[in-house]
Amino acid sequence: MAVLNYAAREISCKVVYCGPGLSGKTVNLQQIYKMIVPERRGNLVSLATETERTLFFDFLPLDLGTVQGFKLRFQLYTTPGQALYEASRKLILRGVDGLVFVADSQRSRLEENVRIFEALKRELAVVGYNFHSLPFIFQYNKRDLPDIASVEELNERLNPDGKYKYFEAVAIEGKGVMETLKAISQEVLLKLTRG
């Protein structure tokens, strides 16, 4: 839940990037870190293993200007994608204001995307959230690789009602990264203003 600090005139929002292991969640935060001017971002904290997989989470605080006289801060987190870290994901999901699901576009990873997406909905329910009431964006990453599922296939399996916005991305090159961040930020702000 967004935290309003009236004394400091600040609003803090938590956005979590979820998805299968090695789908590009950490790369998204690394690219955002590189693209945002230093005065508007904090330090990127990453707890990774020797195999480059995120162990617990990544964290990147951003200052995105002001809204009605309140300084707006976004805290970006990633979750580990491996099944082994379900407890860590549940902890990170507490207090979430918006979600980005980073799907791996490779055809061979389609079933894993679906499995992790369904697990995300269950994990949110366990920590007291209705998935359908949260601001949510899909990012279809790794669009530069051979043998990828079409956007239509990804939507058919993950977003069949077309309810959620989606962005194609090549996160390692920074493509689609800021568009995704801008879209989820707008969705979170819209929900905040509507109550």
Side-chain angles (χ1 to χ4, degrees):
M1 302 286 217
V3 176
L4 274 74
N5 180 335
Y6 286 97
R9 308 261 324 143
E10 280 185 1
I11 302 171
S12 292
C13 301
K14 182 177 185 178
V15 173
V16 178
Y17 283 66
C18 307
L22 299 175
S23 63
K25 301 175 301 287
T26 296
V27 173
N28 266 273
L29 264 60
Q30 290 168 339
Q31 290 293 343
I32 292 166
Y33 182 80
K34 284 197 285 191
M35 291 183 215
I36 299 283
V37 294
E39 300 79 44
R40 299 197 96 169
R41 62 171 162 78
N43 292 326
L44 176 60
V45 177
S46 186
L47 299 174
T49 63
E50 298 115 23
T51 60
E52 299 291 324
R53 288 182 166 223
T54 302
L55 181 56
F56 291 112
F57 66 89
D58 299 305
F59 171 69
L60 176 62
L62 294 178
D63 178 357
L64 296 181
T66 59
V67 172
Q68 296 182 351
F70 281 79
K71 186 181 261 188
L72 183 61
R73 294 188 182 276
F74 270 67
Q75 299 171 344
L76 307 182
Y77 289 82
T78 65
T79 60
Q82 302 81 355
L84 174 66
Y85 298 114
E86 182 179 339
S88 297
R89 283 194 302 274
K90 288 177 187 171
L91 279 173
I92 294 164
L93 289 170
R94 291 186 192 278
V96 68
D97 294 299
L99 294 162
V100 173
F101 189 88
V102 180
D104 187 325
S105 292
Q106 295 177 89
R107 196 174 299 284
S108 63
R109 301 292 309 274
L110 191 54
E111 293 307 318
E112 180 73 357
N113 286 320
V114 172
R115 190 182 68 70
I116 295 294
F117 183 51
E118 293 304 318
L120 170 64
K121 290 190 252 185
R122 288 190 303 274
E123 290 164 0
L124 283 164
V126 167
V127 296
Y129 291 96
N130 176 351
F131 168 77
H132 300 290
S133 68
L134 287 169
F136 183 83
I137 302 285
F138 280 109
Q139 182 189 81
Y140 299 148
N141 192 25
K142 301 187 179 184
R143 300 303 296 165
D144 61 326
L145 297 181
D147 198 30
I148 57 172
S150 69
V151 169
E152 292 76 22
E153 288 174 283
L154 289 163
N155 275 330
E156 183 180 307
R157 297 297 307 277
L158 297 168
N159 191 17
D161 300 332
K163 179 179 178 182
Y164 301 104
K165 292 180 184 174
Y166 63 88
F167 294 87
E168 294 183 69
V170 181
I172 198 132
E173 295 174 9
K175 294 178 181 171
V177 170
M178 294 310 282
E179 294 84 349
T180 302
L181 176 62
K182 181 179 178 183
I184 193 60
S185 301
Q186 289 172 340
E187 296 281 331
V188 168
L189 286 174
L190 189 60
K191 179 155 187 188
L192 279 176
T193 57
R194 288 185 178 163

